[in-house]
Amino acid sequence: MKNLVVLSGAGMSAESGIRTFRDMGGLWEEYDVMEVASPQAWQRNPELVMRFYNERRKQLFEAEPNEGHKGLAELEKHFNVHIVTQNVDDLHERAGSSQVLHLHGELKKARSTANPNLVYTLDKWELKIGDTCELGSQLRPHIVWFGEPVDKIMDAALICQNADIFVVVGTSLNVYPAAGLIDYVPSESPVFLIDPNDVPANKSVYYIKEKASSGIKKLAGILREKYN
Ligand code: OAD
């Protein structure tokens, strides 16, 4: 089976009702990123940071995978599919994708502020000041905040280096190091870019200018013709 690697971003989950960050009406229009998604914000105002992620988590518990997520899961019948996602939701997994790497953390997990290896899966949306790990230290959202290292970037780069087909979907390619992963893709491997808006990719791409759901359906059709 050929290796098909997907780099997904917030637009992937937009049709599930989850807000993107930089579109009109996106989260970073309403919030100052450094006030809610940085280690400094956590030190200054942990309640505000908790509330921001609690709201996101509450919505995630009510959201469902969309046709795009399901379409990518279906591709596992024909390809060895690896999904590298910037998204902190679990919609790829819930749609049935089996190899998902979360670059920026996971909303449904919390981790200890004393020992980052102590990570817990949450079964409810609310995380509170006073919720502690087994060592008695405060739990924080298991999210990579701005200014924090992206620990999984080298694992992701290795996956991208082995891509026979690369698909970019629903990301504005604004945030590094994630946006730089496209540079690891072998030059002979085709790159498909699915997004309803223009995204500058400094590489030659096959553009599918559609939303994730219809774009992934179209992609599956193209791949069927090319590789079956
Ligand atoms: P952005 O909000 O920057 O970009 C979303 C992209 O999705 C844009 O290119 C939109 O055109 C596209 N889009 C919108 N609706 C879509 C749809 N229905 N189908 C497909 N595409 C659609 O989100 P990201 O690129 O994911 O990090 O942002 C990267 C990182 O910045 C996030 O992981 C987050 C944020 O700050 C952290 O919080 C650490």
Side-chain angles (χ1 to χ4, degrees), residues 162-226:
N162 288 313
D164 298 310
I165 303 156
F166 195 70
V167 180
V168 178
V169 51
T171 172
S172 62
L173 293 175
N174 260 297
V175 173
Y176 283 81
L181 285 171
I182 196 168
D183 297 327
Y184 287 89
V185 178
S187 54
E188 64 277 14
S189 303
V191 177
F192 295 86
L193 196 154
I194 302 169
D195 201 294
N197 301 305
D198 287 322
V199 177
N202 51 2
K203 205 173 178 111
S204 109
V205 298
Y206 185 103
Y207 220 122
I208 302 178
K209 208 167 176 192
E210 298 202 22
K211 290 183 173 180
S213 57
S214 54
I216 285 163
K217 200 166 172 193
K218 197 174 245 179
L219 170 77
I222 295 168
L223 295 177
R224 241 190 333 266
E225 245 173 54
K226 205 166 147 75

Side-chain angles (χ1 to χ4, degrees), residues 55-214:
E55 275 173 29
R56 313 272 77 73
R57 200 177 301 109
K58 186 165 193 275
Q59 284 167 6
L60 177 55
F61 270 97
E62 289 154 8
E64 296 294 335
N66 63 50
E67 289 307 309
H69 297 107
K70 292 177 195 164
L72 289 179
E74 277 284 302
L75 287 177
E76 290 195 9
K77 289 184 186 151
H78 308 285
F79 299 94
N80 177 30
V81 181
H82 274 276
I83 298 188
V84 175
T85 187
Q86 296 164 86
N87 298 345
V88 295
D89 64 54
D90 60 349
L91 298 176
H92 282 302
E93 288 92 336
R94 278 159 60 193
S97 285
S98 60
Q99 305 189 93
V100 184
L101 182 150
H102 286 274
L103 280 173
H104 293 161
E106 292 175 73
L107 199 46
K108 283 191 180 168
K109 291 184 178 168
R111 75 166 180 268
S112 163
T113 46
N115 177 353
N117 296 318
L118 294 176
V119 177
Y120 304 89
T121 299
L122 301 167
D123 53 9
K124 56 177 178 48
W125 62 269
E126 197 173 20
L127 186 64
K128 296 193 201 108
I129 302 296
D131 288 344
T132 54
C133 70
E134 64 216 54
L135 303 174
S137 291
Q138 178 62 47
L139 289 174
R140 60 162 273 182
H142 186 48
I143 299 285
V144 178
W145 286 325
F146 279 86
E148 293 186 320
V150 178
D151 290 337
K152 297 208 174 145
I153 197 68
M154 284 323 293
D155 294 342
L158 275 176
I159 292 171
C160 295
Q161 264 174 359
N162 288 313
D164 298 310
I165 303 156
F166 195 70
V167 180
V168 178
V169 51
T171 172
S172 62
L173 293 175
N174 260 297
V175 173
Y176 283 81
L181 285 171
I182 196 168
D183 297 327
Y184 287 89
V185 178
S187 54
E188 64 277 14
S189 303
V191 177
F192 295 86
L193 196 154
I194 302 169
D195 201 294
N197 301 305
D198 287 322
V199 177
N202 51 2
K203 205 173 178 111
S204 109
V205 298
Y206 185 103
Y207 220 122
I208 302 178
K209 208 167 176 192
E210 298 202 22
K211 290 183 173 180
S213 57
S214 54

